[in-house]
Structures are given as structure tokens and as C-alpha cells.
Amino acid sequence: MIIVKSEREIELMRRAGKITAAARALAGEMVKPGVTTREIDKAVFHFIRSQGAEPSFLNYNGYPASVCVSVNDEIIHGIPGPRVLKEGDIVSVDVGAYIGGFHGDCAATYPCGKISEEAQRLIDVTRQGFFEGFAQAREGNRISDISHAVQAYVEANGFSVVREYVGHGVGRNMHEAPEIPNYGAPGHGPKLLRGMTIAVEPMVNAGTAAIRQMSDGWTVKTRDGKYAAHYENTILITAGEPEILTAPAP
Ligand code: MF3
Ligand code: CO
């Protein structure tokens, strides 16, 4: 069942979303050569706590950190650690914050110093893929209208969408119904209603769509070793243009 939020609940989600977006921005600013992914995690943990919120990811299904930091061929769920970022890396940061009974969830991929033109194009196409889906996320449309718009844009630009992981409803729980794939034919799935809050999150591979699950139980990489990017916001469905709750969005 897809939960429709009341105006009061939406106000609480705006608050969670703002903190989550600020945590993403902080992480993004830290992406520089010489910084470790653990330093980013520590800074995000302290920032979220300083706002009176809790990191949504910490201990979620045993996840050991406050943020996912996924570098280069890592698509999602990279665990922060001693890895030192270096010039030319692309760094996906995914973060959630919980306050007032609600979660925010968002992600973005940031360049570390100077990166290749092709890596920048991957980042840009992934972000725009989100906004193509976003434009379809309005009352009366169906879930797969979002999915189709993301896939069509990404593939028209020569990249691939990951199939095994999807966007999702978000609210009192980080993962609620419905699932929101980044691929599929339009016109399928539940109808969108104003007051639904969802996380739309394209995961885009520069090469093939195939993934590889790492033995740490979390990290997901591209099978072909090529780069991947991720971009996510928590959004509110309205009768018109949706509202980004994890605002400001990069
Ligand atoms: N942001 C991720 C998602 O959208 C959640 C990360 S998984 C966690 O599903 F375990 F790290 F929390
Ligand atoms: Co998510």
C-alpha cells in the first residue's frame, strides 16, 4: 500500500529532507584528492547529529556507516573506510537523515579534482535522467512513466541503467511502497496521487548494465569495471510539478 502523507507529515518530511540535502552537500564539498571516505562519513555523522537528526543508514540491516561512498566502478553501497580519494575519481555519496518520525534520502556523484570528459558526461546524464523522471512524477501518471523517462534518456545518451536496484517510497520508513525501477514501458504500475513521497534514483553505468556484488555484503560494482554514477532526491507528488524535499538539489 502506498502511503499518502498529510500536510503536517509533508512539513516534517521537508525538515528531514533539508537536513539530508545539507549532509549531501557537505559530503560533496569534501570530495577532494587526499580525503578518505571515512573522513566524509565522520563529518556527515556529526553534521546529522548536530541537527538533532539520526543517520538513517547507520545500522540499517547492519550497514556500518552514516553514508554510502561509492568510487568509480562502485555503483552504490560503498562502505566508507581508509580509501584515499585521488584526482580523477568520481564519487557517489548517498545519505539519509531521520527526524520527527520521517526520513530523507538523497544521493549525487561528485568529481574529485579534474576528471575526464566522459566521466563528467556520465555524471551529467545521470542527473538529467533523474530530472526526466521527475518531470513525469505528477498526479495521474503511473510509476512506470517515471521509469521509462529515465531509461529512454540514459540509453539515448549511450549509457545503461542498473536493473537490480530501484527507487522507492519514503516516509516513516526509508523504504516504502512502491518500487520505482529505472527502466520499463510507460503506463504501468500504481497511479501517482498528490501527497505521495518517493525517492527517484537512477543508477547509471557507462558500460553494460551488469553488476557485481562484493564479498563485503554491501558494495555493488559494475561487472565490466567501467564507471557508474548515482543521483537521487526525495520528492513530493503534487497536481503539477513535483517538489524536491531534499532541497537544495545539486
Ligand atoms: N539510499 C539507499 C536507498 O535508496 C539506502 C542505502 S542502504 C543502507 O535504498 F543500508 F546503506 F542504508
Ligand atoms: Co533511496
Side-chain angles (χ1 to χ4, degrees), residues 164-187:
E164 290 84 352
Y165 295 87
V166 297
H168 50 91
V170 52
R172 289 190 185 277
N173 292 108
M174 187 163 64
H175 294 131
E176 298 182 348
E179 291 194 346
I180 307 167
N182 293 300
Y183 65 94

Short mmCIF file of all heavy atoms in Angstrom, two decimals, residues 164-187:
data_model
loop_
_atom_site.label_atom_id
_atom_site.label_comp_id
_atom_site.label_asym_id
_atom_site.label_seq_id
_atom_site.Cartn_x
_atom_site.Cartn_y
_atom_site.Cartn_z
N GLU A 164 18.88 -4.10 -10.96
CA GLU A 164 18.71 -4.85 -9.70
C GLU A 164 18.34 -3.96 -8.52
O GLU A 164 17.89 -4.48 -7.48
CB GLU A 164 20.00 -5.60 -9.36
CG GLU A 164 20.29 -6.78 -10.27
CD GLU A 164 21.01 -6.39 -11.57
OE1 GLU A 164 21.15 -5.16 -11.84
OE2 GLU A 164 21.40 -7.30 -12.31
N TYR A 165 18.53 -2.67 -8.64
CA TYR A 165 18.21 -1.74 -7.54
C TYR A 165 17.30 -0.66 -8.07
O TYR A 165 17.41 -0.27 -9.24
CB TYR A 165 19.49 -1.16 -6.93
CG TYR A 165 20.32 -2.23 -6.26
CD1 TYR A 165 21.25 -2.98 -7.00
CD2 TYR A 165 20.13 -2.55 -4.92
CE1 TYR A 165 21.98 -3.99 -6.41
CE2 TYR A 165 20.85 -3.56 -4.32
CZ TYR A 165 21.77 -4.28 -5.07
OH TYR A 165 22.48 -5.29 -4.47
N VAL A 166 16.39 -0.19 -7.22
CA VAL A 166 15.30 0.67 -7.69
C VAL A 166 15.05 1.82 -6.71
O VAL A 166 15.48 1.76 -5.54
CB VAL A 166 14.00 -0.16 -7.83
CG1 VAL A 166 14.17 -1.24 -8.90
CG2 VAL A 166 13.57 -0.78 -6.50
N GLY A 167 14.35 2.84 -7.18
CA GLY A 167 13.83 3.87 -6.28
C GLY A 167 12.67 3.31 -5.48
O GLY A 167 12.26 2.16 -5.67
N HIS A 168 12.10 4.14 -4.61
CA HIS A 168 11.15 3.61 -3.62
C HIS A 168 10.36 4.73 -2.96
O HIS A 168 10.81 5.88 -2.92
CB HIS A 168 11.95 2.85 -2.54
CG HIS A 168 13.10 3.67 -2.01
ND1 HIS A 168 12.98 4.49 -0.92
CD2 HIS A 168 14.38 3.84 -2.45
CE1 HIS A 168 14.14 5.10 -0.71
NE2 HIS A 168 15.01 4.74 -1.62
N GLY A 169 9.21 4.36 -2.38
CA GLY A 169 8.53 5.28 -1.50
C GLY A 169 9.40 5.54 -0.27
O GLY A 169 10.25 4.73 0.08
N VAL A 170 9.20 6.69 0.36
CA VAL A 170 9.97 7.03 1.55
C VAL A 170 9.09 7.86 2.48
O VAL A 170 8.25 8.63 2.01
CB VAL A 170 11.29 7.77 1.16
CG1 VAL A 170 11.04 8.94 0.24
CG2 VAL A 170 12.09 8.21 2.38
N GLY A 171 9.25 7.67 3.79
CA GLY A 171 8.40 8.37 4.74
C GLY A 171 8.79 7.98 6.15
O GLY A 171 9.93 8.18 6.56
N ARG A 172 7.85 7.39 6.88
CA ARG A 172 8.18 6.91 8.23
C ARG A 172 9.21 5.79 8.17
O ARG A 172 9.94 5.55 9.13
CB ARG A 172 6.91 6.43 8.96
CG ARG A 172 6.00 7.58 9.36
CD ARG A 172 4.87 7.16 10.28
NE ARG A 172 3.99 8.28 10.52
CZ ARG A 172 4.21 9.23 11.44
NH1 ARG A 172 5.27 9.18 12.22
NH2 ARG A 172 3.36 10.24 11.57
N ASN A 173 9.24 5.09 7.04
CA ASN A 173 10.29 4.11 6.75
C ASN A 173 11.10 4.57 5.56
O ASN A 173 10.56 5.20 4.66
CB ASN A 173 9.68 2.73 6.48
CG ASN A 173 9.05 2.15 7.73
OD1 ASN A 173 7.83 2.07 7.84
ND2 ASN A 173 9.86 1.76 8.69
N MET A 174 12.39 4.20 5.57
CA MET A 174 13.25 4.63 4.45
C MET A 174 12.81 3.97 3.15
O MET A 174 12.91 4.57 2.09
CB MET A 174 14.71 4.29 4.75
CG MET A 174 15.67 4.86 3.71
SD MET A 174 17.35 4.92 4.28
CE MET A 174 17.70 3.18 4.48
N HIS A 175 12.34 2.74 3.25
CA HIS A 175 11.85 2.05 2.05
C HIS A 175 10.39 1.69 2.24
O HIS A 175 10.04 0.84 3.05
CB HIS A 175 12.69 0.80 1.78
CG HIS A 175 14.11 1.12 1.42
ND1 HIS A 175 15.18 0.52 2.01
CD2 HIS A 175 14.62 1.99 0.54
CE1 HIS A 175 16.30 1.01 1.50
NE2 HIS A 175 15.99 1.91 0.61
N GLU A 176 9.54 2.36 1.47
CA GLU A 176 8.11 2.07 1.47
C GLU A 176 7.71 1.71 0.04
O GLU A 176 8.47 1.94 -0.91
CB GLU A 176 7.32 3.32 1.89
CG GLU A 176 7.63 3.79 3.33
CD GLU A 176 6.82 5.01 3.77
OE1 GLU A 176 6.16 5.64 2.91
OE2 GLU A 176 6.84 5.31 4.97
N ALA A 177 6.48 1.21 -0.12
CA ALA A 177 5.94 1.01 -1.46
C ALA A 177 5.75 2.40 -2.09
O ALA A 177 5.52 3.36 -1.36
CB ALA A 177 4.62 0.26 -1.40
N PRO A 178 5.82 2.51 -3.39
CA PRO A 178 6.09 1.47 -4.39
C PRO A 178 7.58 1.39 -4.72
O PRO A 178 8.35 2.26 -4.35
CB PRO A 178 5.33 2.02 -5.61
CG PRO A 178 5.55 3.51 -5.51
CD PRO A 178 5.56 3.81 -4.02
N GLU A 179 7.96 0.33 -5.44
CA GLU A 179 9.29 0.28 -6.05
C GLU A 179 9.25 1.11 -7.33
O GLU A 179 8.24 1.11 -8.05
CB GLU A 179 9.66 -1.17 -6.40
CG GLU A 179 9.89 -2.02 -5.18
CD GLU A 179 10.59 -3.33 -5.50
OE1 GLU A 179 10.66 -3.70 -6.71
OE2 GLU A 179 11.08 -3.99 -4.56
N ILE A 180 10.35 1.78 -7.62
CA ILE A 180 10.42 2.63 -8.81
C ILE A 180 11.64 2.25 -9.64
O ILE A 180 12.73 2.79 -9.45
CB ILE A 180 10.46 4.11 -8.42
CG1 ILE A 180 9.30 4.43 -7.48
CG2 ILE A 180 10.42 5.00 -9.67
CD1 ILE A 180 9.41 5.76 -6.79
N PRO A 181 11.46 1.30 -10.57
CA PRO A 181 12.58 0.89 -11.43
C PRO A 181 13.01 2.05 -12.33
O PRO A 181 12.23 2.98 -12.58
CB PRO A 181 11.99 -0.24 -12.28
CG PRO A 181 10.75 -0.68 -11.59
CD PRO A 181 10.25 0.53 -10.85
N ASN A 182 14.23 1.98 -12.82
CA ASN A 182 14.74 2.98 -13.75
C ASN A 182 14.67 2.49 -15.19
O ASN A 182 15.45 2.91 -16.04
CB ASN A 182 16.17 3.37 -13.36
CG ASN A 182 16.20 4.11 -12.03
OD1 ASN A 182 15.60 5.16 -11.91
ND2 ASN A 182 16.88 3.53 -11.05
N TYR A 183 13.75 1.56 -15.45
CA TYR A 183 13.56 1.04 -16.80
C TYR A 183 12.13 0.52 -16.90
O TYR A 183 11.49 0.24 -15.87
CB TYR A 183 14.54 -0.12 -17.06
CG TYR A 183 14.28 -1.31 -16.17
CD1 TYR A 183 13.47 -2.36 -16.60
CD2 TYR A 183 14.78 -1.35 -14.88
CE1 TYR A 183 13.19 -3.43 -15.77
CE2 TYR A 183 14.50 -2.41 -14.04
CZ TYR A 183 13.71 -3.45 -14.49
OH TYR A 183 13.42 -4.49 -13.66
N GLY A 184 11.64 0.37 -18.11
CA GLY A 184 10.34 -0.24 -18.33
C GLY A 184 9.48 0.56 -19.30
O GLY A 184 9.77 1.72 -19.59
N ALA A 185 8.42 -0.10 -19.78
CA ALA A 185 7.46 0.55 -20.67
C ALA A 185 6.59 1.51 -19.86
O ALA A 185 6.32 1.25 -18.69
CB ALA A 185 6.59 -0.51 -21.35
N PRO A 186 6.16 2.61 -20.46
CA PRO A 186 5.31 3.56 -19.73
C PRO A 186 3.90 3.01 -19.50
O PRO A 186 3.50 2.05 -20.15
CB PRO A 186 5.28 4.78 -20.65
CG PRO A 186 5.57 4.25 -22.02
CD PRO A 186 6.46 3.05 -21.84
N GLY A 187 3.17 3.64 -18.58
CA GLY A 187 1.74 3.34 -18.42
C GLY A 187 1.43 2.18 -17.50
O GLY A 187 0.30 1.69 -17.47
#
